[in-house]
Amino acid sequence: MLTIWTYDWVPGGEDFPRGFVRDLRLRWACEEAALDYQVKSTPFDNRGPDHFAKQPFGQIPFLEDDGMTIFESGACLLHLAKKSEKLMPRDPVGEAAALQWTIAALNSVEMVSVPWAFLSWSEGPDNGLADWLEKRLAHVEAALQGREWIAAGRFTVADIMMADVLRQMRRGDMPGHPNIRAYIDRACARPAFKKAFADQHAHFAAGDRARRI
Ligand SMILES: N[C@@H](CCC(=O)N[C@@H](CS)C(=O)NCC(=O)O)C(=O)O
């Protein structure tokens, strides 16, 4: 049995960060691959040594599998991808394509989009990183031209990562990037995404109730 670890509760409303907390990536992958998993909680407020022993930054998600623990959502997704061909093609070309796009989502898009999002809160969307972000999005937009999914001609773990990184920006209808907008919509229409999304909301709603007691 796999165990996905997330916080017991997160602040904020229904729109954010709930539905965007990164345990969703792991839930989504397990749902896509029909892997047997459970979700456990670690305190959001008081992050103790047990938490830091498993995630040295005191963040979530992390994953337990058969006595071992792994952190970083990208590492967790690639670990899960080893378990199912549904997440990662087994031919070398398809596997390399899925691998490179999973890392590109993290290291070429999210490395810009997360700092841009943080700056957006204080300076608005047209902040000092907007040009850099636009350049990265333009390349993703071009890569998606004529493609349903980002790698290997089929849905893979790279789509979980790329679609989630892109949707995290919450840029409305993604002006100027119709391929990205349609790609996010396609990904979020998948039953596995919907289940993961609903389950995450239910998890944090239970956290709300527990705090009221
Ligand atoms: N690079 C990490 C980022 C994890 C991350 O940002 N987790 C957020 C929740 S989505 C978190 O724990 N935030 C609280 C904090 O940073 O203290 C990953 O992909 O797993």
Side-chain angles (χ1 to χ4, degrees):
M1 166 79 86
L2 293 155
T3 304
I4 297 170
W5 284 85
T6 187
Y7 291 125
D8 57 347
W9 172 88
V10 289
E14 285 295 294
D15 293 340
F16 192 81
R18 299 176 186 201
F20 292 88
V21 182
R22 285 172 174 72
D23 65 80
L24 187 141
R25 297 173 178 177
L26 281 56
R27 292 173 184 266
W28 186 0
C30 287
E31 292 292 336
E32 291 282 355
L35 297 172
D36 201 15
Y37 71 100
Q38 60 181 344
V39 176
K40 287 192 178 174
S41 299
T42 186
F44 175 84
D45 288 331
N46 300 307
R47 301 175 199 178
D50 286 356
H51 184 167
F52 282 91
K54 290 171 179 163
Q55 216 289 4
F57 303 98
Q59 295 182 312
I60 58 86
F62 52 91
L63 180 69
E64 278 180 350
D65 181 13
D66 201 18
M68 57 150 284
T69 310
I70 186 164
F71 69 92
E72 280 294 331
S73 60
C76 296
L77 283 194
L78 292 173
H79 179 79
L80 294 173
K82 287 194 270 183
K83 298 180 181 296
S84 171
E85 194 267 344
K86 287 191 174 146
L87 296 172
M88 181 72 93
R90 295 305 187 230
D91 69 285
V93 174
E95 183 180 340
L99 186 55
Q100 74 186 0
W101 278 109
T102 304
I103 301 300
L106 290 166
N107 208 38
S108 295
V109 183
E110 192 168 56
M111 75 166 287
V112 187
S113 63
V114 165
W116 170 86
F118 274 101
L119 271 187
S120 289
W121 294 336
S122 54
E123 297 178 17
D126 196 18
N127 60 54
L129 293 179
D131 283 351
W132 192 21
L133 178 66
E134 276 306 311
K135 283 187 186 124
R136 289 290 152 97
L137 293 180
H139 292 301
V140 176
E141 177 74 10
L144 285 170
Q145 183 62 41
R147 282 194 207 178
E148 187 177 16
W149 303 113
I150 195 72
R154 45 159 279 203
F155 184 89
T156 69
V157 70
D159 296 299
I160 295 177
M161 190 56 87
M162 183 61 87
D164 194 57
V165 165
L166 292 169
R167 65 185 280 276
Q168 293 266 349
M169 279 177 262
R170 298 185 297 140
R171 280 168 65 95
D173 56 359
M174 272 287 170
H177 302 302
N179 293 337
I180 293 179
R181 179 67 269 159
Y183 174 70
I184 295 171
D185 289 347
R186 267 198 301 284
C188 295
R190 294 179 71 86
F193 172 86
K194 289 186 180 171
K195 169 92 166 54
F197 185 85
D199 286 355
Q200 182 178 98
H201 273 287
H203 179 91
F204 293 129
D208 287 337
R209 288 193 293 278
R211 286 166 81 95
R212 280 198 290 268
I213 291 168

